[in-house]
Amino acid sequence: MASKIWTKTLKLCGVIDVAALSASNFILSLFVIRELGDSNYAIYMNIFSMLMLLSTLQNAFLNTTLSVKYAKINVHKTKLNKASSLCYVANVVYLIFLVPVIFLMFKLNIFLVISVYLAFVFYLSRELFRIYNYVFDRRKLIVISALISFMVTLLGLIAPILVDFKVVKLSYIYSVIALSGVIGLIILIYRCKFTVPSAAEIKSTLNDIVDVGRWSSVGSLATWAQNNSYTYLATLIVGLEATAALAVSRLIIMPINLVASGIYMAEKPQWAKLFSIDKKQLRDKSKKTTAIMIVFVLCYLSLVLIALPLIEALLKVTINLWILLTWFLACLIQSFKFSNSNILIVSEDFKYMALMGVEVSFLGVLLSTLLGFYFEAIGIVIGFVLGELLHVFNTQVRIKNTVF
């Protein structure tokens, strides 16, 4: 009985993984809002968007190479050597991040700078090794890592309350994130056997990374710009209060985005294999996953609307219902977008995704800017929704003409 439950748990690995990450981010954001106020929360969100930028770049160059290109390799030893070499390159890149850290240490609070750096590095490294374990189907480690990381985050935020620690700063928040990241990372690399790659292997890995990343990075950056521009637009056009208002509504829908990204991250290596051997099964799996996401979004929306007064009391804020509903509309559209994007990514149609992504991002940000000046915060979100619709239309046409 226990073994059957564990087997089913591993099948839901992607959901558990992102659910734990989602819960951690939600609790962190809630803690910052309640304890540090709107201004610090706006700063926190801007720093978080920078982390998402770095995560986007890593996903474009490293994660995609690992989860798409290397996942298709059938010879286990070759796949292992390639993956090990890529992880080695990644860790060298993390060390390069020390250069801006040393500069910022003389300009800003040293404790904040160091804690943010450590939080960023361990977050990115843990993200990479999650992909690594998905490629080699080591789901047990992923589940354990996710759950323990969540518990460390929770305990780290409860600790100041238990000891009646009055002064909590952003540096402490990022120290908690760093601690959670390093513990989760240790679990993910448990029993991994890495070898120092030769110069020839490193050169081959760099060629693979450049081959994938030269176009996927352009598309990923365009997507990042569209997904995160609302933060900067709200700050510039309306002010920090609008940034906080948008961010609070976005915080509520965060579980949807993280569950979706987690599911597709977990599925990507398998979709890459299906693209090579059975496109019909890939199409069916894509439709099924999209349908599941739509049902999840609608169920989650119903729960949020029922619990909205409780959420407002908990966050000590008044939530703009129209902004919230517009974000949910974006989530419904993204149910199709994520599936379409995954299909084109596993087909390695990176050039199209890049050029189309730039076009959609430009138009989306332009619409958000124009509508933001006339309709303020909700106009910015409507512009984002229109950009997402355009993305779905373009990718659907591309898939119909080139993949199926």
Side-chain angles (χ1 to χ4, degrees):
M1 182 64 179
S3 62
K4 289 183 179 179
I5 294 174
W6 182 242
T7 301
K8 290 182 178 180
T9 300
L10 292 181
K11 287 183 179 179
L12 295 172
C13 174
V15 176
I16 295 171
D17 181 24
V18 293
L21 181 60
S22 172
S24 296
N25 287 334
F26 182 83
I27 292 171
L28 283 163
S29 297
L30 174 60
F31 189 88
V32 175
I33 291 173
R34 285 181 61 89
E35 302 299 324
L36 301 181
D38 285 351
S39 295
N40 274 295
Y41 182 58
I43 294 170
Y44 173 80
M45 286 304 300
N46 278 285
I47 294 176
F48 184 77
S49 70
M50 287 303 299
L51 174 58
M52 290 301 99
L53 171 59
L54 293 176
S55 178
T56 297
L57 289 170
Q58 174 171 286
N59 182 65
F61 285 96
L62 304 177
N63 296 359
T64 302
T65 303
L66 186 57
S67 64
V68 175
K69 199 175 189 70
Y70 292 172
K72 294 176 181 177
I73 299 174
N74 294 320
V75 181
H76 180 77
K77 186 176 180 181
T78 303
K79 182 189 292 187
L80 189 62
N81 289 339
K82 287 275 191 181
S84 296
S85 180
L86 185 142
C87 292
Y88 179 87
V89 170
N91 281 280
V92 172
V93 173
Y94 299 150
L95 289 176
I96 294 174
F97 291 162
L98 278 171
V99 175
V101 167
I102 294 171
F103 173 77
L104 291 172
M105 282 170 57
F106 296 102
K107 300 288 184 179
L108 303 172
N109 183 302
I110 184 172
F111 297 108
L112 178 61
V113 172
I114 292 174
S115 61
V116 169
Y117 168 74
L118 293 175
F120 277 30
V121 166
F122 291 131
Y123 180 96
L124 294 171
S125 187
R126 186 175 62 175
E127 186 180 66
L128 177 67
F129 282 101
R130 283 162 67 204
I131 301 294
Y132 181 96
N133 281 281
Y134 277 125
V135 169
F136 291 98
D137 203 26
R138 296 171 180 171
R139 296 180 174 239
K140 179 180 178 181
L141 292 177
I142 296 171
V143 170
I144 295 172
S145 172
L147 295 177
I148 292 180
S149 294
F150 168 71
M151 291 305 300
V152 171
T153 301
L154 185 61
L155 291 173
L157 296 180
I158 291 175
I161 299 173
L162 294 178
V163 300
D164 196 25
F165 185 47
K166 301 291 186 182
V167 182
V168 177
K169 298 182 178 180
L170 278 177
S171 55
Y172 177 80
I173 302 298
Y174 280 99
S175 296
V176 171
I177 298 172
L179 180 62
S180 169
V182 71
I183 292 175
L185 177 61
I186 290 171
I187 296 169
L188 288 173
I189 62 176
Y190 178 64
R191 289 185 177 177
C192 287
K193 296 180 180 179
F194 299 108
T195 57
V196 178
S198 65
E201 288 175 325
I202 292 176
K203 182 180 179 181
S204 176
T205 299
L206 290 173
N207 287 337
D208 291 335
I209 291 172
V210 171
D211 183 51
V212 171
R214 61 179 175 173
W215 287 114
S216 66
S217 60
V218 177
S220 294
L221 285 172
T223 300
W224 177 87
Q226 186 180 355
N227 288 342
N228 293 277
S229 61
Y230 78 92
T231 302
Y232 303 107
L233 288 175
T235 302
L236 292 172
I237 297 173
V238 190
L240 281 176
E241 288 186 4
T243 304
L246 287 173
V248 168
S249 294
R250 189 77 183 265
L251 170 64
I252 293 172
I253 67 162
M254 184 186 292
I256 297 175
N257 294 327
L258 289 172
V259 166
S261 63
I263 288 174
Y264 288 112
M265 178 180 66
E267 292 291 326
K268 195 177 291 180
Q270 185 181 1
W271 285 30
K273 295 176 184 176
L274 288 176
F275 178 80
S276 301
I277 61 175
D278 192 343
K279 290 184 180 179
K280 183 180 182 300
Q281 189 178 347
L282 172 59
R283 181 176 56 193
D284 293 342
K285 197 170 186 64
S286 167
K287 290 180 178 178
K288 182 180 178 180
T289 306
T290 301
I292 290 171
M293 281 305 307
I294 290 172
V295 171
F296 173 70
V297 171
L298 293 175
C299 290
Y300 185 73
L301 170 59
S302 301
L303 290 173
V304 167
L305 292 178
I306 293 170
L308 193 58
L310 179 61
I311 294 172
E312 288 182 323
L314 186 65
L315 297 178
K316 297 181 179 179
V317 296
T318 300
I319 296 169
N320 186 309
L321 182 60
W322 288 110
I323 291 178
L324 182 63
L325 291 174
T326 309
W327 276 129
F328 270 104
L329 176 60
C331 289
L332 283 173
I333 296 168
Q334 287 174 337
S335 297
F336 297 93
K337 173 189 173 180
F338 290 148
S339 186
N340 287 355
S341 296
N342 232 30
I343 291 173
L344 291 175
I345 287 170
V346 299
S347 69
E348 300 188 39
D349 197 357
F350 299 124
K351 183 176 181 179
Y352 173 78
M353 289 290 287
L355 298 177
M356 183 274 300
V358 170
E359 172 194 341
V360 168
S361 177
F362 175 76
L363 292 174
V365 172
L366 179 62
L367 287 169
S368 287
T369 303
L370 294 175
L371 292 173
F373 276 112
Y374 285 100
F375 303 105
E376 297 189 337
I378 194 167
I380 293 172
V381 188
I382 291 172
F384 176 78
V385 168
L386 293 174
E388 296 295 90
L389 274 173
L390 184 59
H391 191 287
V392 170
F393 174 78
N394 286 342
T395 52
Q396 189 63 41
V397 171
R398 182 69 173 184
I399 289 170
K400 184 178 180 181
N401 292 337
T402 64
V403 180
F404 299 130

